[in-house]
Amino acid sequence: MYEQLGLDISPRQASILLGLLIGLAFGALAEVSRFCFRRAVAGPVSERKSAAGVWLGGLATAMIGTQIAVAQGLIAFEDHRFMVTDMPILAIIVGGLIFGAGMVLTRGCVARLTVLAGTGNLRAVLVLLAFAVIAHATLKGVLTPIRTALSSVTVPLTNGALPGSPLIWTVLIAGAAGLLALRLADNRRTLALGALIGLLVPAAWIGTGYVLFDEFDPIALESLSFTSPATEVLFWTVASSAIPAGFGVGLFGGVIAGAMVLSLIAGRFEWQSFTSPQQTGRYLAGAALMGVGGVLAGGCTIGAGLSGVPTLSVAAILALVSIGTGGALTARLIRDGVSSTDAGQATSSAPQAA
């Protein structure tokens, strides 16, 4: 279809603009709605239901929109990496668990931290930088042997997607997500914003896979994600003459810009930094875990979750479940540790018997 647009730029250059537009929308909507998977599984107890409702509302619209596009023949996922027939089950599970642990330590997944970076949060900026370096080291650097070893344990699949009718799966998953969203979300406005975020997923799939498709100058079929784009931004920044920008660079920059504009308009922009060396160490540890985990799992809560699950990929679903499990377990361990410390302090400060 790209030839019919009559643009004087290449599909790759056009994908930067597409990524920028979608990123601007995501950044603005996520900043206002506080769209965050971590809050749903490991945030304050009083906020979890509402956060889960908003996130599930986004998943429902993402799945419906994506599968409509597939049914209309606009896009297809047969050759996409989500549909791997030899699924690296151990890498996905381990990666998801440690990614979930990392997002709890940093108080946000990569997508949320990208939004926070646009609102003046310097903790998020440092985490994103460390995350990108570790992710690239896992993908192509010194940590590659770990990825290779874990990825060697595979489970054969027929085609990588859930078996049976895509229509039935779409109705079941999107229907359940939508009903839960309506029940859990305590604010219809934020629920609507979450649904709009979900629509950005099929918009990106259709944009990269149909609108910008050119058989003579093909680009990758991709949607919202943050693991690969983070590494792409890092190395494009330091070597732009050798590494051309693509959809991911535009998306990443758009998210930061969108969040910044909305936070400035609403008066929520505020410079924030670390309060102690211990906090810095915890955030860097979380960044490292997410960097390794995001690569092993094949994506983050957005790449494998919000964008991946609507493809009906078994690998993406397993990754999201593993991330959620890792986050919930880590949050519980931290709470138990804090409770034990408080109990010990209370005991030591109690008056001693004569």
Side-chain angles (χ1 to χ4, degrees):
M1 179 180 178
Y2 184 73
E3 292 182 350
Q4 301 175 12
L5 298 179
L7 300 179
D8 293 329
I9 56 177
S10 69
R12 186 178 184 89
Q13 292 171 324
S15 73
I16 301 174
L17 298 177
L18 174 65
L20 179 63
L21 291 174
I22 290 179
L24 285 168
F26 181 91
L29 292 170
E31 196 279 329
V32 174
S33 65
R34 300 179 67 197
F35 191 83
C36 181
F37 184 80
R38 183 202 67 86
R39 287 180 60 233
V41 299
V45 176
S46 60
E47 298 180 4
R48 288 183 191 175
K49 287 185 177 181
S50 178
V54 175
W55 203 91
L56 288 170
L59 179 62
T61 56
M63 174 158 285
I64 294 171
T66 299
Q67 286 302 313
I68 287 177
V70 172
Q72 293 297 314
L74 301 179
I75 54 175
F77 296 105
E78 284 81 1
D79 298 323
H80 196 274
R81 64 179 181 83
F82 282 145
M83 299 304 170
V84 58
T85 53
D86 289 321
M87 185 177 70
I89 185 170
L90 184 59
I92 292 174
I93 293 176
V94 172
L97 290 173
I98 63 176
F99 185 97
M103 75 178 184
V104 171
L105 295 179
T106 59
R107 296 182 60 81
C109 65
V110 185
R112 180 60 182 165
L113 292 170
T114 306
V115 172
L116 291 177
T119 66
N121 192 314
L122 299 179
R123 296 189 300 269
V125 173
L126 180 60
V127 168
L128 290 174
L129 179 60
F131 167 81
V133 172
I134 297 298
H136 193 78
T138 306
L139 188 63
K140 298 181 179 179
V142 295
L143 299 179
T144 300
I146 297 176
R147 175 179 60 80
T148 303
L150 292 175
S151 298
S152 65
V153 181
T154 62
V155 171
L157 300 175
T158 302
N159 60 9
L162 290 172
S165 169
L167 176 60
I168 293 177
W169 283 116
T170 300
V171 171
L172 289 175
I173 298 176
L179 290 175
L180 284 172
L182 290 171
R183 181 176 180 180
L184 296 176
D186 57 7
N187 187 308
R188 291 293 182 264
R189 175 173 171 270
T190 54
L191 178 60
L193 293 174
L196 289 175
I197 289 175
L199 292 178
L200 296 176
V201 170
W205 285 128
I206 295 170
T208 58
Y210 177 70
V211 177
L212 300 183
F213 175 76
D214 185 346
E215 60 182 350
F216 299 105
D217 190 9
I219 61 172
L221 170 65
E222 53 187 324
S223 186
L224 294 177
S225 66
F226 287 86
T227 300
S228 178
T231 63
E232 187 180 340
V233 168
L234 175 65
F235 286 93
W236 173 76
T237 302
V238 299
S240 60
S241 61
I243 302 175
F247 177 84
V249 171
L251 175 69
F252 215 84
V255 171
I256 293 176
M260 179 180 295
V261 170
L262 259 291
S263 64
L264 286 170
I265 293 174
R268 289 189 292 267
F269 186 93
E270 179 183 3
W271 293 111
Q272 300 179 54
S273 188
F274 296 100
T275 58
S276 68
Q278 290 79 6
Q279 186 187 50
T280 305
R282 189 185 84 228
Y283 273 66
L284 288 176
L289 290 174
M290 287 197 297
V292 176
V295 172
L296 293 178
C300 60
T301 58
I302 299 296
L306 194 66
S307 295
V309 172
T311 69
L312 302 181
S313 162
V314 175
I317 295 172
L318 178 60
L320 183 63
V321 171
S322 299
I323 290 172
T325 302
L329 290 175
T330 303
R332 180 171 181 176
L333 289 173
I334 291 175
R335 286 196 303 272
D336 290 346
V338 171
S339 298
S340 298
T341 301
D342 291 343
Q345 291 176 344
T347 302
S348 62
S349 61
Q352 300 295 315

